[in-house]
Amino acid sequence: MQRHPALRWLAPAGVLCVAGLVVAGVFNATASPESLPRTTPTALIAALRTSDVQGFSGTMVSHLSLGLPELPALPAGDEETSFAALLSGSHTMQVWYGGPTKQRIALLGATDETDLFRNGQDVWQWSSVDGIARHLVLPKDRHRELGEVMPSTPAGITPLTLARNMLAAMDPSTQVRVERGEVVADRSAYDLVLTPRTNQTKVGSVHISVDGATKMPLGVSVFPRGSTSAAIDVEFTSIRFAAQPDRNFAFSPPPNARVVQETRTHDNSAPGHPAARTAAPATTGSGWAIIVRVALGKVAVTKARVGRFLKMMTPVSGAWGKGHVLDATLMSLLVTDNGRIFVGAVPPASLYAAAGAK
């Protein structure tokens, strides 16, 4: 993951889908945004990459329309507040940020919520619906932010994480332009537009709303090729930039909670996901056409209760073997009969080529 940062932007559409298969005050918001000075794409990208906001809190909404079939039943949990629910529909999250090692995200439902806390090395996931508190201790050298460490959770689809990973996916052929006049969460923002020129990706364009004052991303929209509707649309509806007290990131399990201690072997799954015990993903290709591949093995796929999901996919075969494919709006997913998974924002033909490569 560190050597291939571009693959992390696929988390909402791909890595989270794989995880689902495996488990079946510096600046204040202003009411009257001001016009922003002109800038160039190069200057704005540089400012975005070096933006160093130390603290903020706010509310964000996400809407994902990836064209995925309904996932098989997952372990006990409220449908609205399970992490797999983020794969479709609209969701509201509250976010607190206190720096690279202090974050908190609450995925809100009508009556329940799931909270994710990062405080130094400690990561807690709390589900109010089943009363389970999962605890993970990160290695001492793990200084990356929560969305980078755990892309298959709500942390992976915040505007901050998404924008960084979209920029990492850029290749030299990407067309870039800047527009002004955006207003996001009552703040003036630039619209940074990335348009891939390769036909080897399903991504048509990416719009990143960049705060005019802090240069922090306030929203990200990803449009499929040939579509005027975003498949991924995540943005803040309110935000306040200010230092956050440590208490916002501290979590103590309630007296009646069931505490589960988690261990992981790589960066590609959330606490509680059996994916944590599988081989780490690898990649092929580059830029917008990058493909993530995971070798689970036939037995692991069967035990992961993928059966119902595979029935919603199309049987395919070729020189690479046999399997099932999902050709969705923004991504394609291939599960081979021998337990390999390939996913990317690419046409299915690219996955078949990757599956047949030596």
Side-chain angles (χ1 to χ4, degrees):
M1 297 284 284
Q2 287 176 301
R3 290 176 298 169
H4 303 284
L7 72 85
R8 291 195 301 267
W9 82 265
L10 282 167
V15 179
L16 184 54
C17 188
V18 172
L21 289 172
V22 175
V23 297
V26 178
F27 298 96
N28 293 313
T30 59
S32 301
E34 299 177 356
S35 28
L36 299 174
R38 294 183 181 275
T39 188
T40 65
T42 300
L44 186 58
I45 290 174
L48 196 160
R49 283 176 166 159
T50 58
S51 176
D52 188 25
V53 175
Q54 294 300 307
F56 64 83
S57 61
T59 300
M60 54 175 264
V61 294
S62 72
H63 182 82
L64 271 66
S65 181
L66 303 173
L68 300 175
E70 183 179 353
L71 288 173
L74 299 175
D78 184 86
E79 290 185 357
E80 290 184 340
T81 55
S82 71
F83 291 158
L86 290 169
L87 286 170
S88 62
S90 298
H91 300 274
T92 300
M93 288 168 273
Q94 292 182 333
V95 182
W96 296 261
Y97 180 88
T101 63
K102 291 182 182 291
Q103 296 113 48
R104 176 185 171 189
I105 299 177
L107 175 58
L108 307 178
T111 58
D112 301 290
E113 69 178 71
T114 297
D115 291 88
L116 195 61
F117 295 80
R118 164 79 183 277
N119 190 2
Q121 294 175 248
D122 290 302
V123 176
W124 284 94
Q125 176 184 312
W126 162 249
S127 172
S128 65
V129 69
D130 57 17
I132 297 178
R134 302 185 183 277
H135 181 224
L136 174 69
V137 179
L138 298 174
K140 291 183 179 180
D141 62 347
R142 191 60 52 85
H143 299 301
R144 288 174 293 148
E145 295 182 2
L146 191 56
E148 298 174 298
V149 174
M150 304 169 69
S152 56
T153 67
I157 62 168
T158 64
L160 187 63
T161 301
L162 273 177
R164 287 174 176 170
N165 295 328
M166 292 295 176
L167 292 178
M170 286 178 59
D171 56 36
S173 69
T174 304
Q175 182 183 41
V176 186
R177 74 177 191 272
V178 175
E179 298 178 357
R180 296 179 296 168
E182 284 274 300
V183 178
V184 179
D186 290 329
R187 297 182 65 87
S188 297
Y190 295 100
D191 183 17
L192 177 65
V193 185
L194 314 178
T195 304
R197 288 175 174 169
T198 174
N199 59 6
Q200 298 302 308
T201 180
K202 288 194 169 191
V203 178
S205 64
V206 176
H207 291 245
I208 303 176
S209 299
V210 183
D211 183 61
T214 68
K215 302 305 184 291
M216 192 190 96
L218 300 177
V220 174
S221 299
V222 184
F223 292 80
R225 292 177 67 88
S227 176
T228 58
S229 299
I232 299 175
D233 191 9
V234 182
E235 73 172 20
F236 282 97
T237 57
S238 66
I239 191 168
R240 180 177 182 272
F241 293 95
Q244 299 297 302
D246 287 343
R247 66 175 179 273
N248 285 347
F249 312 103
F251 175 77
S252 297
N256 60 342
R258 181 163 71 91
V259 177
V260 178
Q261 294 293 334
E262 298 287 351
T263 59
R264 299 188 308 159
T265 58
H266 64 80
D267 292 338
N268 201 33
S269 59
H273 285 181
R277 296 182 290 275
T278 68
T283 65
T284 185
S286 62
W288 303 105
I290 197 167
I291 295 172
V292 180
R293 63 181 188 272
V294 184
L296 295 180
K298 186 174 182 179
V299 174
V301 169
T302 302
K303 288 185 177 181
R305 297 184 290 176
V306 183
R308 272 178 48 190
F309 189 84
L310 291 179
K311 291 178 181 179
M312 302 175 188
M313 300 170 68
T314 303
V316 289
S317 63
W320 49 269
K322 296 182 179 181
H324 292 75
V325 71
L326 172 66
D327 187 4
T329 305
L330 193 62
M331 48 79 68
S332 297
L333 172 71
L334 173 66
V335 181
T336 67
D337 286 357
N338 62 0
R340 295 182 299 160
I341 294 176
F342 298 82
V343 62
V346 297
S350 297
L351 301 186
Y352 305 151
K358 299 297 182 180

